[in-house]
Amino acid sequence: MQNLKLYKIQVKALFFFLSFFASTVFYAQNTATVYGKVVDEDNEPIEDVSVSVLGTSLAPVYTNAQGAFSYKVPAGVPITIVFYSISHFQQQRDINIQPNEKFELNRILKFKNQIKAVEVYDENRFQTTSRIDPINITHIPTASQDFNAILFTLPGVSNRNELSSAYSVRGGNFDENLVYVNGIEIYRPFLVRSGQQEGLSFVNPDMVSSVLFSAGGFEAKYGDKMSSVLDVQYRRPRKFAGTFSGSLLGTNLHLEGISKSNRFTWMVGTRYKTNQYLLKSLDTKGSYKPMFIDGQAYFTYDVTTNWQLDFLANYASNRYQIVPESRETDFGTLNQALRLKIYFDGQEIDKFESMLGALSAIHRSDNEKTTLRFIASGFRSKESEAFDIQGQYFIDELETDFGQPNFGDVVSNRGVGTFLQHARTNLLAYVYSLEHKGNHNINKNNQVLWGVKYSYENISDKLSEWKYVDSADFSVPTVVPYVPVDGFELQDVIKQKIKITSNRVSGFLQGIFSKDLKDTSTVSVTAGIRANYWSLNGQALFGPRATLAYKPNWKRDFLFKFSTGYYYQPPFYRELRNREGVINYDLKAQTSIHFVLTSDYNFKAWRRPFKFLVEAYYKHLDNLIPYEIDNVRIRYSAKNNAKGYATGIDFKVNGEFVKGVESWFSLSFMQTQEDIKDDFYYDYFNSDGEKIVPGYTNNDVAVDSTRYEPGYIPRPTDQRVNFAIFFQDKMPGLPDLKMHLNLLFGAGVPFGAPGTERYKQVLRMPPYRRVDIGFSYQLLKESRKKKEKGFGRLLNSVWLSLEVFNLLGTNNTVSYIWVEDVTNRQYAVPNYLTQRQLNLRMIIKF
C-alpha cells in the first residue's frame, strides 16, 4: 500500500516537472530580450528605473548603477515597455520583436519635482527665486532648531529672536511673507505674543527636497503678500528610508517608502520640541513647561500614467505654560545703574492647535507639455490664551563708585508698585480652498502658466483682556481711557466677541519667454497679471508683474535682471482688529510697487564654483496700516492712513570656500519709513521760553505752543544694517569632523513706550549680535562597506554634534518693560534673550 502511494507521488512529480519543462521551452521560444541604458538629460546614468510591460503580470526589472538593464519580454506580439522613475517623467515605447531577438532600447528621462544636484549654478537663474541647499538646513547650529534658521542668513532677511521662526524681509513685517509647501499656502498663528510661545514652524526639514526663496519682485504665480515668498517642495521617496535626530531641545523621526509597484509613495514625520532648557537662562525665573508636537504625512499615488494623486496632512499642538516666580534685571548707565526686581504670583497657559489637509489631483499630458493640478484644502486653527499674573516690583539704584566697598549693591529705592495682567482669549479659524493651477510648455523656451483659487474664511474670536496698576501708578498708562470697575481703574481693557465670514477669489496668468540671440546671449521675459477679490470689503484688485533677464555673451558669466510689479496685500484678521479689539470692515489692501535690479556673477576661485549676487531695490508703499511690534506680536491700527517706502541694497557671495562644503556671506543696507496722516503734535513752552519736558522742567506752566508735522518716521522694522555668515569647514587631517558657524548681526530697530503715538516710537534698540557654532562628527559614512549581519547594516549614516549657542554670551534685547519712578521719569527695562548654552545632537539616517 505504501509502495502504491509512493508510486503516485512520483508520477505526479514527474508530470509536474514535464509540464514545467514544456512551458519553459515554449516560453523561451516565444520570448525576446530588450536591453539598453537609461540616462538623464546630462547623459548621467539613472539607477533604480523600473522597466515593465504594460498590462501584464510580468515582474519588472530595474536599472543598475550604470543605468543598464536586460529584460525578457513576450515575442511576436505588440507590447508597451514602460520606464518609470519617481524623480523623472515616465516614458513608454511600443515594440513588436521576433522570438529570441535582442532589441536595444535606450532612453533619456527628464527630471520632475526634484533637483538634480546642489550647485552654485542652477537652472532657476533667470527667475526671481533662488535655490537653498536643503543639506545645509540639517547642520546649521541654531537655538530654534527650526527650518527657517537658514533664511535668517540670507540677504534682506532679518530675525532678532532666536526663539522665533518669524522673519522680516526688506522692511516688511512677519505677516507679509508667503509660504508654500507643495503649492499649498501655509498660515501663521494668530495670537502668539512671544518667540518662546511659537514652537514649531510648519516645514519639516527631514521631508524637504527643494527650497526656493525670493526677497522681492516675485512672479504673478505667487500670492498676495508684499514682501517675500518661500516655496518648499516635499520629495517623493525612491526607497524605504528614515531619519532620527535627538538633542536637548527635542526629537524628530521621519520614515518614507515606496510600494513594490512604484506607484504609491509615503512619507511621515513627527517632531517634538521643548524650550525648557533654553528658557531657564532668561531673567524671569520660574517653572517653564513648553511642549510642542507636530505630525505630518505626504502620500502620492500614480493612478495611471497621466494622473497622480497627492495628499498632504499636518497636525500641530503647541502648548506653553509658565508659573513665574521672580525676575531681576540690571539696566541703566555707568553713572546711574538701576535694578528692577519683580516677585510674581499666578500663571500663564497658552494653547495653539492647528490642522491642515490638502488633496491634489495632477494630470500630465502624453506629450508632457501640459500639466493640470486641482487642489482642495482645509485649514483649522484653535488658539487660546489664559493668564492671571500679579507682579510686585521694586526699582532700586545701585552704587556706581568703584572705590566703594558696596559697589554694585542697592543704595536707595526709587519706586515700588504692583500690577495685575489678565487675559482669556479664544480664537477659532477655518479656511477652506479650491484651486486649479496649470502650465503648458509651448516649446523649449516658452511656457504659459495660469491659476484660479476660491477661499472661504470663518473666524470666531472672544477677547477678554485688561491690566491693573496700583494707586502708586508706577506703570506707564496707555492711550486707552481708564474704565472704573468697583473702585479700581483698569487699563488696556478689551471685551469683544467677533465673528467674521468672507470669500476670496484670486487668479493669475503668466508667460515665460526666452530667446537665444545671434551672438549666443540670452534674453528671458517673465510677465503676468494677478487679480483678487474679497467679499468683506468689496475690493477688486489687478496687478501686473514682470521680470526681464539678460545674459550677455561675455567671457565672464554675468546675468542681469530687472523685476517690477504691483503687490497688493488684502487684510487678514489681524490687520482688521485695532488695539481695542474693534473690527474695521472697510479696511483696504496695502500696496507695494517693487523695483528690483539684480546682478548675478558666476565664477571660479581655487578651481571651485562661486556666485556673487547684488540686488538694489526700491519699494513704494501706499495704503499702509501702521502697526507696533512687541516681541513677535503685531498690533495694527486698522486704518489705511499711511504711505511709505523701503529702499536698500543686498550683497551675497557663496561657494566652496572649503572644498566640498558650501558657505556664504551676506550684507544688507536698508531704510524703510512711513508718513502717517494727521499725526501732528504740539510742543509747549513756559514763560522762560523753555520747552516743557514732563518730569524734567521745573516751570511746567505752558504759555505758548508750536504745531509740528512729524512727516516720515522709521517703520518698526527699519533695520539699517544686516550682516550674516554661514561658514562650514573641515578639520585638517580629520575630514569627518566639520565645523558650522552661524553669525548674525542686525542694527537696532525703533521702539517706544506702548500706547504712545507712533512718531514718538523712534528710539533704537541695541544691535542684535549672535554667534552659534557647531562641531559635527560623522560616526558612520554612507560609502562604508556594510556588514551582512548586525544592526549597523541598517544604518546609512550617523552624525554626532556639539553646539554652542550664543558663543559670545551677548545680552540681546527683544523688547522692554516700561516703568516710572517717583519723579515720573520713565525707564525702559530690557527683556533679554537666551544666554550661552550647550547642546548635544545626534542624527541617524537609515
PDB file of all heavy atoms in Angstrom, residues 127-130 155 170 214-216 561 563 596-599 613-617 648-652 667 669:
ATOM      1  N   GLN A 127      14.917  83.274 -13.115  1.00  0.00           N
ATOM      2  CA  GLN A 127      13.727  83.643 -12.360  1.00  0.00           C
ATOM      3  C   GLN A 127      14.113  84.482 -11.147  1.00  0.00           C
ATOM      4  O   GLN A 127      15.291  84.650 -10.823  1.00  0.00           O
ATOM      5  CB  GLN A 127      12.948  82.393 -11.932  1.00  0.00           C
ATOM      6  CG  GLN A 127      12.566  81.483 -13.081  1.00  0.00           C
ATOM      7  CD  GLN A 127      11.760  82.191 -14.157  1.00  0.00           C
ATOM      8  OE1 GLN A 127      10.838  82.939 -13.855  1.00  0.00           O
ATOM      9  NE2 GLN A 127      12.123  81.974 -15.413  1.00  0.00           N
ATOM     10  N   THR A 128      13.106  84.980 -10.425  1.00  0.00           N
ATOM     11  CA  THR A 128      13.367  85.857  -9.279  1.00  0.00           C
ATOM     12  C   THR A 128      13.624  85.081  -7.996  1.00  0.00           C
ATOM     13  O   THR A 128      14.058  85.668  -7.008  1.00  0.00           O
ATOM     14  CB  THR A 128      12.167  86.790  -9.049  1.00  0.00           C
ATOM     15  OG1 THR A 128      10.977  85.997  -8.866  1.00  0.00           O
ATOM     16  CG2 THR A 128      11.977  87.713 -10.240  1.00  0.00           C
ATOM     17  N   THR A 129      13.353  83.781  -8.004  1.00  0.00           N
ATOM     18  CA  THR A 129      13.607  82.976  -6.812  1.00  0.00           C
ATOM     19  C   THR A 129      14.985  82.333  -6.897  1.00  0.00           C
ATOM     20  O   THR A 129      15.488  82.048  -7.977  1.00  0.00           O
ATOM     21  CB  THR A 129      12.547  81.869  -6.660  1.00  0.00           C
ATOM     22  OG1 THR A 129      12.459  81.129  -7.887  1.00  0.00           O
ATOM     23  CG2 THR A 129      11.186  82.460  -6.321  1.00  0.00           C
ATOM     24  N   SER A 130      15.593  82.095  -5.752  1.00  0.00           N
ATOM     25  CA  SER A 130      16.901  81.445  -5.693  1.00  0.00           C
ATOM     26  C   SER A 130      16.793  80.171  -4.874  1.00  0.00           C
ATOM     27  O   SER A 130      15.959  80.055  -3.977  1.00  0.00           O
ATOM     28  CB  SER A 130      17.942  82.379  -5.072  1.00  0.00           C
ATOM     29  OG  SER A 130      17.544  82.782  -3.772  1.00  0.00           O
ATOM     30  N   PRO A 155      20.538  87.519   2.414  1.00  0.00           N
ATOM     31  CA  PRO A 155      20.482  88.980   2.327  1.00  0.00           C
ATOM     32  C   PRO A 155      19.048  89.481   2.282  1.00  0.00           C
ATOM     33  O   PRO A 155      18.185  88.894   1.634  1.00  0.00           O
ATOM     34  CB  PRO A 155      21.216  89.275   1.009  1.00  0.00           C
ATOM     35  CG  PRO A 155      21.145  88.007   0.227  1.00  0.00           C
ATOM     36  CD  PRO A 155      21.162  86.901   1.236  1.00  0.00           C
ATOM     37  N   ARG A 170      13.239  92.915   3.935  1.00  0.00           N
ATOM     38  CA  ARG A 170      13.347  94.236   3.298  1.00  0.00           C
ATOM     39  C   ARG A 170      12.318  95.222   3.829  1.00  0.00           C
ATOM     40  O   ARG A 170      11.609  95.885   3.066  1.00  0.00           O
ATOM     41  CB  ARG A 170      13.241  94.099   1.782  1.00  0.00           C
ATOM     42  CG  ARG A 170      14.433  93.380   1.164  1.00  0.00           C
ATOM     43  CD  ARG A 170      14.305  93.230  -0.340  1.00  0.00           C
ATOM     44  NE  ARG A 170      15.517  92.612  -0.898  1.00  0.00           N
ATOM     45  CZ  ARG A 170      15.648  92.223  -2.145  1.00  0.00           C
ATOM     46  NH1 ARG A 170      14.657  92.390  -3.002  1.00  0.00           N
ATOM     47  NH2 ARG A 170      16.779  91.668  -2.571  1.00  0.00           N
ATOM     48  N   SER A 214      12.398  84.095  -2.576  1.00  0.00           N
ATOM     49  CA  SER A 214      12.529  85.391  -3.233  1.00  0.00           C
ATOM     50  C   SER A 214      12.259  86.481  -2.212  1.00  0.00           C
ATOM     51  O   SER A 214      11.262  86.443  -1.481  1.00  0.00           O
ATOM     52  CB  SER A 214      11.539  85.522  -4.392  1.00  0.00           C
ATOM     53  OG  SER A 214      11.567  86.839  -4.914  1.00  0.00           O
ATOM     54  N   ALA A 215      13.161  87.488  -2.171  1.00  0.00           N
ATOM     55  CA  ALA A 215      13.017  88.607  -1.239  1.00  0.00           C
ATOM     56  C   ALA A 215      12.299  89.793  -1.863  1.00  0.00           C
ATOM     57  O   ALA A 215      12.226  90.856  -1.247  1.00  0.00           O
ATOM     58  CB  ALA A 215      14.391  89.044  -0.732  1.00  0.00           C
ATOM     59  N   GLY A 216      11.759  89.612  -3.053  1.00  0.00           N
ATOM     60  CA  GLY A 216      11.012  90.700  -3.684  1.00  0.00           C
ATOM     61  C   GLY A 216      11.012  90.583  -5.188  1.00  0.00           C
ATOM     62  O   GLY A 216      11.891  89.966  -5.787  1.00  0.00           O
ATOM     63  N   LYS A 561      19.114  91.175 -14.199  1.00  0.00           N
ATOM     64  CA  LYS A 561      17.661  91.051 -14.129  1.00  0.00           C
ATOM     65  C   LYS A 561      17.056  92.351 -13.606  1.00  0.00           C
ATOM     66  O   LYS A 561      17.641  93.007 -12.738  1.00  0.00           O
ATOM     67  CB  LYS A 561      17.246  89.899 -13.202  1.00  0.00           C
ATOM     68  CG  LYS A 561      17.515  88.522 -13.740  1.00  0.00           C
ATOM     69  CD  LYS A 561      17.016  87.433 -12.794  1.00  0.00           C
ATOM     70  CE  LYS A 561      17.902  87.322 -11.565  1.00  0.00           C
ATOM     71  NZ  LYS A 561      17.562  86.134 -10.748  1.00  0.00           N
ATOM     72  N   SER A 563      13.172  93.443 -12.156  1.00  0.00           N
ATOM     73  CA  SER A 563      11.822  92.979 -11.805  1.00  0.00           C
ATOM     74  C   SER A 563      11.005  94.150 -11.274  1.00  0.00           C
ATOM     75  O   SER A 563      11.532  95.005 -10.550  1.00  0.00           O
ATOM     76  CB  SER A 563      11.885  91.883 -10.742  1.00  0.00           C
ATOM     77  OG  SER A 563      12.648  90.781 -11.182  1.00  0.00           O
ATOM     78  N   VAL A 596      13.328  96.070  -8.638  1.00  0.00           N
ATOM     79  CA  VAL A 596      14.477  95.287  -8.185  1.00  0.00           C
ATOM     80  C   VAL A 596      15.439  95.104  -9.352  1.00  0.00           C
ATOM     81  O   VAL A 596      15.061  94.599 -10.417  1.00  0.00           O
ATOM     82  CB  VAL A 596      14.048  93.900  -7.659  1.00  0.00           C
ATOM     83  CG1 VAL A 596      15.258  93.153  -7.104  1.00  0.00           C
ATOM     84  CG2 VAL A 596      12.977  94.041  -6.579  1.00  0.00           C
ATOM     85  N   LEU A 597      16.687  95.517  -9.164  1.00  0.00           N
ATOM     86  CA  LEU A 597      17.732  95.361 -10.171  1.00  0.00           C
ATOM     87  C   LEU A 597      18.793  94.413  -9.624  1.00  0.00           C
ATOM     88  O   LEU A 597      19.332  94.636  -8.535  1.00  0.00           O
ATOM     89  CB  LEU A 597      18.359  96.710 -10.512  1.00  0.00           C
ATOM     90  CG  LEU A 597      19.429  96.724 -11.605  1.00  0.00           C
ATOM     91  CD1 LEU A 597      18.842  96.247 -12.934  1.00  0.00           C
ATOM     92  CD2 LEU A 597      20.033  98.114 -11.744  1.00  0.00           C
ATOM     93  N   THR A 598      19.083  93.338 -10.384  1.00  0.00           N
ATOM     94  CA  THR A 598      19.951  92.263  -9.902  1.00  0.00           C
ATOM     95  C   THR A 598      21.127  92.052 -10.845  1.00  0.00           C
ATOM     96  O   THR A 598      20.963  92.041 -12.071  1.00  0.00           O
ATOM     97  CB  THR A 598      19.157  90.941  -9.789  1.00  0.00           C
ATOM     98  OG1 THR A 598      18.025  91.137  -8.956  1.00  0.00           O
ATOM     99  CG2 THR A 598      20.023  89.839  -9.204  1.00  0.00           C
ATOM    100  N   SER A 599      22.299  91.866 -10.247  1.00  0.00           N
ATOM    101  CA  SER A 599      23.480  91.440 -10.991  1.00  0.00           C
ATOM    102  C   SER A 599      23.958  90.127 -10.394  1.00  0.00           C
ATOM    103  O   SER A 599      24.174  90.019  -9.183  1.00  0.00           O
ATOM    104  CB  SER A 599      24.591  92.493 -10.894  1.00  0.00           C
ATOM    105  OG  SER A 599      25.781  92.009 -11.488  1.00  0.00           O
ATOM    106  N   LEU A 613      26.252  87.910  -5.834  1.00  0.00           N
ATOM    107  CA  LEU A 613      24.934  88.452  -6.143  1.00  0.00           C
ATOM    108  C   LEU A 613      24.796  89.842  -5.530  1.00  0.00           C
ATOM    109  O   LEU A 613      25.129  90.049  -4.355  1.00  0.00           O
ATOM    110  CB  LEU A 613      23.840  87.538  -5.585  1.00  0.00           C
ATOM    111  CG  LEU A 613      22.388  87.939  -5.844  1.00  0.00           C
ATOM    112  CD1 LEU A 613      22.029  87.696  -7.297  1.00  0.00           C
ATOM    113  CD2 LEU A 613      21.447  87.155  -4.940  1.00  0.00           C
ATOM    114  N   VAL A 614      24.293  90.788  -6.328  1.00  0.00           N
ATOM    115  CA  VAL A 614      23.993  92.141  -5.848  1.00  0.00           C
ATOM    116  C   VAL A 614      22.574  92.485  -6.272  1.00  0.00           C
ATOM    117  O   VAL A 614      22.209  92.304  -7.449  1.00  0.00           O
ATOM    118  CB  VAL A 614      24.972  93.183  -6.423  1.00  0.00           C
ATOM    119  CG1 VAL A 614      24.643  94.566  -5.867  1.00  0.00           C
ATOM    120  CG2 VAL A 614      26.411  92.819  -6.114  1.00  0.00           C
ATOM    121  N   GLU A 615      21.773  92.957  -5.323  1.00  0.00           N
ATOM    122  CA  GLU A 615      20.405  93.376  -5.638  1.00  0.00           C
ATOM    123  C   GLU A 615      20.140  94.738  -5.013  1.00  0.00           C
ATOM    124  O   GLU A 615      20.290  94.908  -3.797  1.00  0.00           O
ATOM    125  CB  GLU A 615      19.375  92.364  -5.116  1.00  0.00           C
ATOM    126  CG  GLU A 615      19.241  91.125  -5.970  1.00  0.00           C
ATOM    127  CD  GLU A 615      17.979  90.340  -5.683  1.00  0.00           C
ATOM    128  OE1 GLU A 615      17.419  90.497  -4.574  1.00  0.00           O
ATOM    129  OE2 GLU A 615      17.554  89.572  -6.553  1.00  0.00           O
ATOM    130  N   ALA A 616      19.750  95.687  -5.843  1.00  0.00           N
ATOM    131  CA  ALA A 616      19.313  97.002  -5.377  1.00  0.00           C
ATOM    132  C   ALA A 616      17.811  97.100  -5.595  1.00  0.00           C
ATOM    133  O   ALA A 616      17.286  96.628  -6.612  1.00  0.00           O
ATOM    134  CB  ALA A 616      20.038  98.107  -6.133  1.00  0.00           C
ATOM    135  N   TYR A 617      17.092  97.697  -4.655  1.00  0.00           N
ATOM    136  CA  TYR A 617      15.634  97.705  -4.747  1.00  0.00           C
ATOM    137  C   TYR A 617      15.055  98.994  -4.166  1.00  0.00           C
ATOM    138  O   TYR A 617      15.675  99.681  -3.339  1.00  0.00           O
ATOM    139  CB  TYR A 617      15.041  96.499  -4.000  1.00  0.00           C
ATOM    140  CG  TYR A 617      15.371  96.465  -2.522  1.00  0.00           C
ATOM    141  CD1 TYR A 617      14.542  97.070  -1.585  1.00  0.00           C
ATOM    142  CD2 TYR A 617      16.531  95.835  -2.075  1.00  0.00           C
ATOM    143  CE1 TYR A 617      14.854  97.047  -0.237  1.00  0.00           C
ATOM    144  CE2 TYR A 617      16.844  95.801  -0.726  1.00  0.00           C
ATOM    145  CZ  TYR A 617      16.009  96.416   0.184  1.00  0.00           C
ATOM    146  OH  TYR A 617      16.318  96.410   1.514  1.00  0.00           O
ATOM    147  N   GLY A 648      17.070  99.809  -0.500  1.00  0.00           N
ATOM    148  CA  GLY A 648      18.296  99.234   0.032  1.00  0.00           C
ATOM    149  C   GLY A 648      19.065  98.472  -1.027  1.00  0.00           C
ATOM    150  O   GLY A 648      18.701  98.450  -2.215  1.00  0.00           O
ATOM    151  N   ILE A 649      20.130  97.840  -0.584  1.00  0.00           N
ATOM    152  CA  ILE A 649      20.974  97.039  -1.458  1.00  0.00           C
ATOM    153  C   ILE A 649      21.466  95.834  -0.678  1.00  0.00           C
ATOM    154  O   ILE A 649      21.803  95.932   0.508  1.00  0.00           O
ATOM    155  CB  ILE A 649      22.151  97.868  -2.024  1.00  0.00           C
ATOM    156  CG1 ILE A 649      22.928  97.065  -3.070  1.00  0.00           C
ATOM    157  CG2 ILE A 649      23.053  98.378  -0.905  1.00  0.00           C
ATOM    158  CD1 ILE A 649      23.906  97.912  -3.869  1.00  0.00           C
ATOM    159  N   ASP A 650      21.480  94.667  -1.342  1.00  0.00           N
ATOM    160  CA  ASP A 650      21.888  93.399  -0.733  1.00  0.00           C
ATOM    161  C   ASP A 650      23.090  92.835  -1.488  1.00  0.00           C
ATOM    162  O   ASP A 650      23.156  92.924  -2.722  1.00  0.00           O
ATOM    163  CB  ASP A 650      20.752  92.367  -0.778  1.00  0.00           C
ATOM    164  CG  ASP A 650      19.544  92.782   0.034  1.00  0.00           C
ATOM    165  OD1 ASP A 650      19.711  93.562   0.983  1.00  0.00           O
ATOM    166  OD2 ASP A 650      18.428  92.329  -0.288  1.00  0.00           O
ATOM    167  N   PHE A 651      23.996  92.221  -0.722  1.00  0.00           N
ATOM    168  CA  PHE A 651      25.158  91.552  -1.301  1.00  0.00           C
ATOM    169  C   PHE A 651      25.230  90.130  -0.745  1.00  0.00           C
ATOM    170  O   PHE A 651      24.946  89.905   0.432  1.00  0.00           O
ATOM    171  CB  PHE A 651      26.464  92.272  -0.948  1.00  0.00           C
ATOM    172  CG  PHE A 651      26.518  93.713  -1.357  1.00  0.00           C
ATOM    173  CD1 PHE A 651      26.056  94.703  -0.498  1.00  0.00           C
ATOM    174  CD2 PHE A 651      27.020  94.082  -2.590  1.00  0.00           C
ATOM    175  CE1 PHE A 651      26.107  96.037  -0.864  1.00  0.00           C
ATOM    176  CE2 PHE A 651      27.074  95.418  -2.965  1.00  0.00           C
ATOM    177  CZ  PHE A 651      26.616  96.397  -2.095  1.00  0.00           C
ATOM    178  N   LYS A 652      25.642  89.210  -1.606  1.00  0.00           N
ATOM    179  CA  LYS A 652      25.859  87.838  -1.147  1.00  0.00           C
ATOM    180  C   LYS A 652      26.926  87.175  -2.006  1.00  0.00           C
ATOM    181  O   LYS A 652      26.908  87.296  -3.228  1.00  0.00           O
ATOM    182  CB  LYS A 652      24.569  87.013  -1.225  1.00  0.00           C
ATOM    183  CG  LYS A 652      24.732  85.576  -0.716  1.00  0.00           C
ATOM    184  CD  LYS A 652      23.490  84.733  -0.947  1.00  0.00           C
ATOM    185  CE  LYS A 652      23.698  83.291  -0.517  1.00  0.00           C
ATOM    186  NZ  LYS A 652      22.543  82.431  -0.831  1.00  0.00           N
ATOM    187  N   LEU A 667      25.391  90.725   3.195  1.00  0.00           N
ATOM    188  CA  LEU A 667      25.414  92.063   3.784  1.00  0.00           C
ATOM    189  C   LEU A 667      24.282  92.867   3.165  1.00  0.00           C
ATOM    190  O   LEU A 667      24.106  92.872   1.941  1.00  0.00           O
ATOM    191  CB  LEU A 667      26.757  92.741   3.518  1.00  0.00           C
ATOM    192  CG  LEU A 667      26.908  94.200   3.961  1.00  0.00           C
ATOM    193  CD1 LEU A 667      26.809  94.312   5.481  1.00  0.00           C
ATOM    194  CD2 LEU A 667      28.227  94.779   3.462  1.00  0.00           C
ATOM    195  N   PHE A 669      22.013  96.696   3.375  1.00  0.00           N
ATOM    196  CA  PHE A 669      21.755  98.054   3.850  1.00  0.00           C
ATOM    197  C   PHE A 669      20.324  98.395   3.450  1.00  0.00           C
ATOM    198  O   PHE A 669      19.942  98.208   2.285  1.00  0.00           O
ATOM    199  CB  PHE A 669      22.729  99.055   3.248  1.00  0.00           C
ATOM    200  CG  PHE A 669      24.170  98.774   3.567  1.00  0.00           C
ATOM    201  CD1 PHE A 669      24.956  98.054   2.684  1.00  0.00           C
ATOM    202  CD2 PHE A 669      24.726  99.217   4.754  1.00  0.00           C
ATOM    203  CE1 PHE A 669      26.293  97.795   2.965  1.00  0.00           C
ATOM    204  CE2 PHE A 669      26.059  98.950   5.064  1.00  0.00           C
ATOM    205  CZ  PHE A 669      26.838  98.236   4.166  1.00  0.00           C
TER     206      PHE A 669
END
